[in-house]
Amino acid sequence: MTIERRAFDTRSIRRDFPILKREVHGKPLVYLDNAATSQKPVQVIAEITRYYRDTNANIHRGVHTLSQEATQQYEDVREKVRALIGGRRVEEVVYTSGTTMSLNLVARGWARHRLRAGDEVVLTEIEHHSNIVPWQQLRDEIGIVLRFIPMLPDGTLDMEEARRLIGPRTRLLSVTHASNALGTIVPVRELADLAHAQGALVCVDGAQSVPHMPVDVTELGADFLAFSGHKMLGPTGTGVLWARHEVLEEMEPLFGGGDMILTVTLEESTWNEIPYRFEAGTPNIEGVIALGKAIDYLTALGMDQVRAHEVELLDYALRRLGDLPGVTLFGPPEVERRGGVVSFDLEGVHPHDIGQVLDSHGVAVRTGHHCAQPVMAALRVPATARASFYIYNTPDEVDALAEAVADAARFFGGATGATGAAHGG
Ligand code: PMP
């Protein structure tokens, strides 16, 4: 399929996002909470309405026209997902409700049946809670051992420790591709090579990478890749677990019910083929179909262009915020090693208060632990403020952010003249 390439024109992109026209507290909305969820273009919003007006039917079941159309539209999106992430086969794409469910499916559907007490799963200190908690639950259930690659003060991973921790007992390495709390881009390929050399599999949390940069499962060395639709212009309640065909064949379904079976008698059941075996019950049909429009939108822009745009904004934001007295920036200083996320704090001001002042300026950022409490513990801070960028953000919005942070410093008397731009904890 050829996709028409659109020029990367932020002004025309912004016209596709109705919410960006709204005001907050009398100020134009400056939406910088994209790591939490992205806004949606009209193409995605309209597709949800179109689906319900024209096509709505249950899938995979009916011979009637509507059901066949809905099934076709739902299935067509698998190919879009496959092409986006460079998978080899369309049946390697499992629809889920989001990254959290995808990671739990790896833990419950694969690891629970393939691992034994004493087997090791290697994680990192910069994981989102959704790539920690399922593994702790499994540890408590079957006695696997968890190892954590530590974070260095600049928010990157201690690769020397990684080489030590990934060993003959390692059965799985599960790592984030990009940290939602600090932006750190993890050298997944290097880690994957270490894991594969020990015969372990590699699971990648792509929640913060797939929406923002070119991702190719083969280049990454991933055996599993998890990501969410809602962070990449698509609807909430959509997500993907991609896994190599051979690995999916080794997995057990998590849920039993309609659509995931081949035969059912009162005594026993047999499973449908992959990926349907993992998609029990009526799924989020309109969500998946609209996710297809989100992928079309990103693909037309080009993921390399999306990344280039964010690097520009990131570079500018690091300089603008770094120049402000009292601001500490967390995460790696080099833009090449981080996604479009700026985590910071302001001396003497609780991040929650920063968030409230910014909100009064119409600037939406996230404050808190960002579902990454171990990162906060390693930085020795209770929380940070986090601005995160996407395709529709502009340098003017970075200015608005910097001015609002300067205002917060004045308001709370927090700017003590301390030097800014201090990287790390
Ligand atoms: N991993 C990372 C790195 C994330 O940023 C997020 C969302 N903040 C998740 C996992 C969980 O994604 P979801 O809430 O969409 O399941």
Side-chain angles (χ1 to χ4, degrees), residues 151 196 237 310 329:
M151 184 188 97
H196 286 148
E310 287 184 30
L329 298 170

Side-chain angles (χ1 to χ4, degrees), residues 175-198:
V175 292
T176 190
H177 191 185
S179 152
N180 66 308
L182 300 175
T184 313
I185 295 176
V186 169
V188 170
R189 182 54 194 252
E190 206 178 325
L191 292 171
D193 287 348
L194 292 171
H196 286 148
Q198 301 291 344

Side-chain angles (χ1 to χ4, degrees), residues 60-61 252-282:
H60 296 154
R61 285 166 212 184
E252 288 294 322
L254 220 55
F255 301 114
D259 241 25
M260 55 76 70
I261 49 83
L262 208 55
T263 60
V264 178
T265 66
L266 292 183
E267 288 73 37
E268 59 185 10
S269 308
T270 58
W271 306 154
N272 201 343
E273 55 200 36
I274 62 167
Y276 309 111
R277 174 184 314 175
F278 306 106
E279 297 175 5
T282 302

Side-chain angles (χ1 to χ4, degrees), residues 35 98-100 128 130 176 178 180 205 207-208 228 230-231:
T99 309
T100 303
H128 186 278
S130 64
T176 190
N180 66 308
D205 173 353
Q208 297 295 342
S228 300
H230 70 92
K231 293 181 198 281

Side-chain angles (χ1 to χ4, degrees), residues 44 47-48 51-52 56 74 235 238 283-291:
V44 169
E47 184 66 359
I48 296 171
Y51 170 77
Y52 279 120
N56 180 46
Y74 178 85
T238 61
N284 184 353
I285 303 168
E286 85 286 3
V288 166
I289 292 172
L291 175 63

Side-chain angles (χ1 to χ4, degrees), residues 49-70:
T49 314
R50 183 210 59 77
Y51 170 77
Y52 279 120
R53 294 176 79 109
D54 296 352
T55 313
N56 180 46
N58 212 330
I59 54 167
H60 296 154
R61 285 166 212 184
V63 288
H64 63 79
T65 301
L66 290 190
S67 176
Q68 286 185 2
E69 284 179 11

